[in-house]
Amino acid sequence: MGAVKIVIRERSNFNEIIKDFSPAWFAVVMGTGGLANLLYLLSPNLSFLKPIAQFLFWLSIILF
């Protein structure tokens, strides 16, 4: 019986956390990842873009 109460509490805490997320988070993660891909694809021509692309890639992972 005690385990059931713990599960119910975890669900309510998860619901409390998730209700504050907006669909804009999806756009932020996808935009950051897309820009990282674009800059990485352009990096053979412009070598200074590769570190920026790698930074944006890791930032996208952290945001996710």
Side-chain angles (χ1 to χ4, degrees):
M1 189 76 172
V4 173
K5 289 181 183 178
I6 291 173
V7 171
I8 292 171
R9 277 191 206 151
E10 288 178 8
R11 282 188 183 164
S12 65
N13 288 338
F14 180 72
N15 289 338
E16 291 295 318
I17 293 169
I18 210 74
K19 77 175 184 175
D20 294 327
F21 282 103
S22 70
W25 277 107
F26 174 77
V28 169
V29 173
M30 289 299 291
T32 306
L35 183 60
N37 284 330
L38 176 67
L39 293 179
Y40 190 79
L41 289 173
L42 293 174
S43 67
N45 298 332
L46 303 166
S47 60
F48 67 91
L49 292 178
K50 190 171 184 176
I52 298 170
Q54 290 172 340
F55 171 75
L56 288 174
F57 169 75
W58 289 110
L59 178 63
S60 178
I61 289 176
I62 290 169
L63 289 173
F64 178 72

